[in-house]
């Protein structure tokens, strides 16, 4: 019986060792499974992050494009509206100037302008004055020796005097002043966007 006991003990030891090895293998398998699950979770999370990040970037690009386009359209509309307001304002001013050039005050003003130009640079026999067609006779009466010609470009009044000897123009037209004021008005800080 001792022999059977020894075999039973040996068998128990072998079974215990087998059980221990099985438990170790199961524990290792469990650890590997947990690591695989964690790895799979991390891989899934990383893939999900890339997908979400890519979609977010696409949405941001689309939104940025839309915002940029809307901003451009709004700015263009603002500029168009601003330019229309400036045009309307200066059209009104031009109408008042055209009403003014029909008055005796304008004719006195034109005479004063010619007097100032002549005082700053005397007219010569070759000097030419360019005025509106309506002003030619009045200027000829004031300065009979001055060559006077109608200039279709002068619509608002005033005069341009040309000195051919020196190739100098003195522009005292309302048209020139009007254009300068219109440009200066549009360039003021108030009108900038």
């Amino acid at each position: 019986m001792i022999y059977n006991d020894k075999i039973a003990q040996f068998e128990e030891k072998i079974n215990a060792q087998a059980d221990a090895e099985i438990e170790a293998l199961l524990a290792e398998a469990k650890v590997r499974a947990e690591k695989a699950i964690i790895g799979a979770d991390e891989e899934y999370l990383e893939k999900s992050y890339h997908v979400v990040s890519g979609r977010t970037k696409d949405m941001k690009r689309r939104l940025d494009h839309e915002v940029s386009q809307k901003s451009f359209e709004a700015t263009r509309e603002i500029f168009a509206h601003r330019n229309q307001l400036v045009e309307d304002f200066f059209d009104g001013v031009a109408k008042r100037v055209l009403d003014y050039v029909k008055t005796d005050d304008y004719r006195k003003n034109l005479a004063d302008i010619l007097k100032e130009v002549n005082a700053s640079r005397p007219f010569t026999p070759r000097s030419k004055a360019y005025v509106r067609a309506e002003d030619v006779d009045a200027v000829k009466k004031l300065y009979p020796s001055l060559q006077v010609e109608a200039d279709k470009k002068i619509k608002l009044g005033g005069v341009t005097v040309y000195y051919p000897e020196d190739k100098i123009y003195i522009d005292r037209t309302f048209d020139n002043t009007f254009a300068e004021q219109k440009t200066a008005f549009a360039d003021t800080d108030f009108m900038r966007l």
Side-chain angles (χ1 to χ4, degrees), residues 109-140:
N109 191 358
L110 181 59
D112 290 342
I113 292 170
L114 285 161
K115 185 177 177 182
E116 287 173 18
V117 171
N118 191 31
S120 69
R121 185 172 197 99
F123 300 141
T124 66
R126 295 181 58 207
S127 297
K128 289 185 183 178
Y130 297 95
V131 294
R132 296 179 320 135
E134 297 89 341
D135 298 332
V136 171
D137 292 336
V139 174
K140 281 184 180 181

Side-chain angles (χ1 to χ4, degrees), residues 116-184:
E116 287 173 18
V117 171
N118 191 31
S120 69
R121 185 172 197 99
F123 300 141
T124 66
R126 295 181 58 207
S127 297
K128 289 185 183 178
Y130 297 95
V131 294
R132 296 179 320 135
E134 297 89 341
D135 298 332
V136 171
D137 292 336
V139 174
K140 281 184 180 181
K141 283 181 188 175
L142 290 170
Y143 295 92
S145 63
L146 183 62
Q147 296 177 46
V148 182
E149 293 183 21
D151 185 344
K152 292 179 183 178
K153 290 182 243 163
I154 301 174
K155 301 200 183 314
L156 300 178
V159 62
T160 297
V161 179
Y162 176 58
Y163 297 88
E165 310 83 23
D166 301 318
K167 296 181 181 159
I168 293 176
Y169 283 91
I170 296 179
D171 189 335
R172 295 290 305 276
T173 60
F174 293 176
D175 301 74
N176 186 47
T177 303
F178 184 82
E180 288 173 356
Q181 291 299 313
K182 188 174 180 180
T183 300

Side-chain angles (χ1 to χ4, degrees), residues 49-193:
Y49 171 78
H50 288 300
V51 168
V52 170
S53 177
R55 287 184 182 165
T56 302
K57 286 177 185 175
D58 287 344
M59 286 173 56
K60 185 176 179 339
R61 266 193 297 271
R62 271 185 280 141
L63 288 173
D64 287 348
H65 177 72
E66 285 181 38
V67 167
S68 175
Q69 187 175 5
K70 295 294 183 191
S71 176
F72 174 75
E73 289 170 7
T75 302
R76 188 178 59 199
E77 286 177 21
I78 289 169
F79 273 118
H81 184 68
R82 182 199 71 172
N83 290 342
Q84 187 59 51
L85 290 174
V86 169
E87 288 301 318
D88 292 348
F89 173 75
F90 278 96
D91 285 349
V93 172
K95 287 176 186 171
R96 287 196 299 263
V97 171
L98 289 171
D99 289 340
Y100 171 71
V101 297
K102 296 174 187 171
T103 67
D104 288 335
D105 286 341
Y106 166 70
R107 283 182 273 295
K108 289 176 191 168
N109 191 358
L110 181 59
D112 290 342
I113 292 170
L114 285 161
K115 185 177 177 182
E116 287 173 18
V117 171
N118 191 31
S120 69
R121 185 172 197 99
F123 300 141
T124 66
R126 295 181 58 207
S127 297
K128 289 185 183 178
Y130 297 95
V131 294
R132 296 179 320 135
E134 297 89 341
D135 298 332
V136 171
D137 292 336
V139 174
K140 281 184 180 181
K141 283 181 188 175
L142 290 170
Y143 295 92
S145 63
L146 183 62
Q147 296 177 46
V148 182
E149 293 183 21
D151 185 344
K152 292 179 183 178
K153 290 182 243 163
I154 301 174
K155 301 200 183 314
L156 300 178
V159 62
T160 297
V161 179
Y162 176 58
Y163 297 88
E165 310 83 23
D166 301 318
K167 296 181 181 159
I168 293 176
Y169 283 91
I170 296 179
D171 189 335
R172 295 290 305 276
T173 60
F174 293 176
D175 301 74
N176 186 47
T177 303
F178 184 82
E180 288 173 356
Q181 291 299 313
K182 188 174 180 180
T183 300
F185 182 78
D187 286 340
T188 61
D189 287 339
F190 174 72
M191 293 301 290
R192 289 193 187 115
L193 296 178

